[in-house]
Amino acid sequence: MIRWIRHGGAARTALLLWLTACAPVLLKATSASGRELWVLLAGFPLLAGAAVVGRTRPLVGLAVAVGLSLALNLELYTSSYWAALALWGYLAGRWTAGARPALWFFAAFAVAGALLTWLTDAGVWTWFTALTTLLLNVVVPWLLGRYRRQYDHLVHAGWELADRMEREQRAVADQARLRERSRIAGDMHDSLGHDLALIALRAAALQVDPELSDRHRAAAAELREAASTATSQLRDIIGVLRTADDPAPTAPADEGVGPLVERARSSGLAVELEYGARDGKHKEGADGPKGPGLPPMADRAVYRVVQEALTNAAKHAPGAAVRVQLVRDPAAGEIAVSVVNGPRPADGSPPDLASGGNGLVGLDERVRLAGGVLAHGPSADGGFAVSARLPLAAGVALVAERAAAPASTSARELARARERVRRRLVQSITVPLAVTAGLAVLWGGFTFYTQYHSVLDRRTYDRLEIGEPRADVESRMPPYTMDGPPDGIAAPPHGWDCAYYGVRRYDGRSAYRLCFADGRLVAKDVVTSRQ
């Protein structure tokens, strides 16, 4: 039914609510008369109005149902409006966003019910019965409605989370494609850019070689210009494949620093390679071309620092001497790499090679990902220096960076959904328990109070005479009577109306019994429980 309401229109919803709430009223009205009939007839238009505004203001419908029930019975429970109470109690929990308005409504009913029973002199037990009826017939359906609302909300949040995760997966796929494009661009820059710089360097050397004929020097000049054009085209391609915020590729290379330096030397670059340690320095070859057992990330970063520095030296300072140093520091747990080239010779003619400006930027990213620090800038003698310090332990920076990375949107949404479930579950459990505990405390306190004020004085009892009018007798009685006779006491004769008063405070085994018939006192005695 509720699903049909949810998917139906406003008019159909209101009609169904009205018919459901009025069905018991109609059945009762066929046999009612007098004041009860007028209250039942007034319920049809009032419930219709409540059904119209019920979707946006369900507490209005609940207030109407409670008011009509109180008009028939101060104890709230009536066979005519029990369906309306349960229905609007459920809808108040189902359609109200927060629990606070309903809780305020229940508290207001408790206060108003106490005032009403006091004004009508209906007795405190009537108020307790009304609160119990409210708890069972309204609060329990309200909790069911809250549970249903929470369930639907979590289902909706789950679908939203799934949709967000799907979008994030697509974004991850897009990022993977961008990383692949960045890798391709990095490979092109690392390998082709370096090789083209060396080709241009060789061509420049041939261009100024006096032993060659003019035709050969012109061919060398054309070769240098072709290398420059190819470098410019390579820069354009890298610009398409790689953006400024793309991370540098981190795939390890098979070639070590030694073969890289050898290729640079064979191209005419004056390079000196030194491996060293804190306890002394030794010449190239002592530890092998790839260095002393570096992690893959650090080894690749060292290779790229040397490659980029040699490429820049070939571009901007051809003919200058270059010194490459690799120094291990086991105590500090790091390796230092330094590439320093001297100033360009005054008679040198550098190739006119275009530069994309991304080499050192990408190199800094690669070193950072490996856990190191890169530094570069002019040297004291007018040359240029590139240096880096990298850890000997693998994965230090990446682990720290991932640990410090903020939680994803999906993780945050999941945490918030779990917190909402926990909070609402606590509310669903604590609200009825708190109401029940409150009623138990009130009932216990009232029982204690009535027992204290239901004790009949012995002298007053002795002065009572058979045949006195009931009104005269009751005017001298305590304000309260016992709840009933002690256990095991036989029922009085038919037609007698008996009242029981305490003999001693908090003693439920004995009682004074006063019986009335035709408005007069017909019997008085002391009865004691047989159990």
Side-chain angles (χ1 to χ4, degrees):
M1 179 187 70
I2 299 301
R3 182 180 300 177
W4 187 77
I5 291 177
R6 184 172 65 247
H7 294 286
R12 186 170 61 181
T13 301
L15 177 61
L16 183 59
L17 290 178
W18 183 72
L19 292 176
T20 304
C22 289
V25 181
L26 181 61
L27 293 176
K28 186 67 175 180
T30 57
S31 59
S33 61
R35 177 179 173 275
E36 181 182 11
L37 177 61
W38 287 108
V39 174
L40 295 175
L41 293 178
F44 290 101
L46 292 176
L47 291 176
V52 171
V53 300
R55 185 62 179 88
T56 56
R57 296 178 178 86
L59 288 178
V60 173
L62 181 58
V64 170
V66 169
L68 291 172
S69 299
L70 289 176
L72 291 178
N73 187 352
L74 290 180
E75 294 182 350
L76 192 63
Y77 180 79
T78 64
S79 59
S80 303
Y81 292 111
W82 68 269
L85 289 173
L87 178 61
W88 260 284
Y90 176 87
L91 295 179
R94 180 69 178 83
W95 286 345
T96 305
R100 187 171 299 175
L103 296 179
W104 280 113
F105 178 87
F106 299 147
F109 173 83
V111 175
L115 292 176
L116 186 60
T117 52
W118 177 71
L119 292 174
T120 59
D121 198 22
V124 179
W125 288 112
T126 300
W127 181 55
F128 280 127
T129 304
L131 290 182
T132 304
T133 304
L134 181 74
L135 176 64
L136 298 178
N137 207 29
V138 178
V139 177
V140 172
W142 176 76
L143 291 174
L144 294 176
R146 292 292 299 170
Y147 170 78
R148 182 61 186 180
R149 179 182 179 85
Q150 173 186 339
Y151 175 80
D152 290 347
H153 178 76
L154 290 179
V155 170
H156 180 69
W159 281 111
E160 287 186 346
L161 182 60
D163 182 66
R164 184 176 292 110
M165 292 179 64
E166 184 177 353
R167 292 196 301 269
E168 289 181 358
Q169 288 177 352
R170 289 197 296 267
V172 169
D174 293 339
Q175 291 176 0
R177 288 191 289 269
L178 291 176
R179 284 196 299 268
E180 182 63 18
R181 292 170 62 181
S182 176
R183 186 191 65 79
I184 296 172
D187 290 344
M188 293 174 65
H189 179 275
D190 295 349
S191 57
L192 297 180
H194 181 73
D195 292 340
L196 287 173
L198 296 181
I199 291 174
L201 181 64
R202 291 183 178 181
L206 292 176
Q207 184 179 357
V208 297
D209 190 349
E211 296 182 0
L212 296 180
S213 62
D214 293 340
R215 182 171 63 84
H216 289 100
R217 286 198 295 271
E222 293 177 357
L223 179 60
R224 181 180 62 82
E225 292 177 358
S228 176
T229 302
T231 304
S232 179
Q233 294 176 350
L234 177 62
R235 182 194 62 185
D236 294 339
I237 295 174
I238 292 176
V240 173
L241 293 178
R242 187 178 188 180
T243 61
D245 57 351
D246 284 335
T250 56
D254 293 333
E255 186 182 39
V257 174
L260 175 64
V261 172
E262 286 296 332
R263 287 196 296 111
R265 281 178 183 164
S266 63
S267 301
L269 199 63
V271 186
E272 180 183 1
L273 174 62
E274 296 178 349
Y275 292 106
R278 289 300 180 188
D279 56 353
K281 182 167 58 178
H282 46 277
K283 293 296 183 179
E284 172 187 346
D287 293 313
K290 292 192 68 177
L294 297 178
M297 289 287 292
D299 182 71
R300 180 58 174 168
V302 168
Y303 178 88
R304 281 287 296 116
V305 169
V306 176
Q307 184 185 49
E308 182 66 25
L310 293 179
T311 301
N312 289 337
K315 285 182 180 180
H316 306 295
V322 182
R323 185 179 61 187
V324 179
Q325 288 183 316
L326 279 78
V327 180
R328 282 175 56 96
D329 187 355
E334 63 182 14
I335 183 171
V337 54
S338 173
V339 181
V340 182
N341 63 267
R344 179 171 58 87
D347 56 349
S349 178
D352 185 18
L353 296 177
S355 177
N358 290 327
L360 291 176
V361 174
L363 184 62
D364 181 76
E365 176 72 2
R366 182 184 293 276
V367 172
R368 185 186 68 83
L369 290 177
V373 179
L374 178 72
H376 53 79
S379 59
D381 60 355
F384 197 82
V386 179
S387 62
R389 306 184 74 86
L390 295 124
L392 297 177
V396 175
L398 287 178
V399 171
E401 181 177 350
R402 289 169 183 169
S408 64
T409 303
S410 300
R412 291 195 299 270
E413 289 292 334
L414 182 59
R416 281 195 290 266
R418 287 175 175 173
E419 177 61 22
R420 287 194 298 270
V421 171
R422 185 194 66 81
R423 184 172 62 252
R424 292 174 180 175
L425 181 60
V426 170
Q427 291 177 354
S428 300
I429 295 175
T430 56
V431 168
L433 289 180
V435 173
T436 304
L439 291 177
V441 171
L442 291 174
W443 179 83
F446 181 72
T447 301
F448 180 86
Y449 178 82
T450 55
Q451 287 183 357
Y452 185 85
H453 291 84
S454 64
V455 176
L456 177 60
D457 183 68
R458 178 70 185 187
R459 289 173 297 180
T460 302
Y461 173 79
D462 292 339
R463 286 196 293 266
L464 295 176
E465 297 181 0
I466 302 300
E468 286 189 65
R470 182 168 187 169
D472 293 342
V473 173
E474 290 181 346
S475 64
R476 289 174 284 170
M477 294 297 104
Y480 297 99
T481 64
M482 296 179 62
D483 295 340
D487 296 336
I489 300 302
H494 179 71
W496 285 17
D497 182 16
C498 298
Y500 298 86
Y501 295 92
V503 174
R504 290 178 297 274
R505 290 186 177 94
Y506 315 119
D507 178 15
R509 295 177 55 84
S510 300
Y512 293 119
R513 180 170 62 179
L514 306 180
C515 297
F516 301 89
D518 299 327
R520 292 186 177 275
L521 181 64
V522 295
K524 68 173 189 175
D525 59 346
V526 179
V527 294
T528 303
S529 174
R530 299 176 182 176
Q531 298 181 359

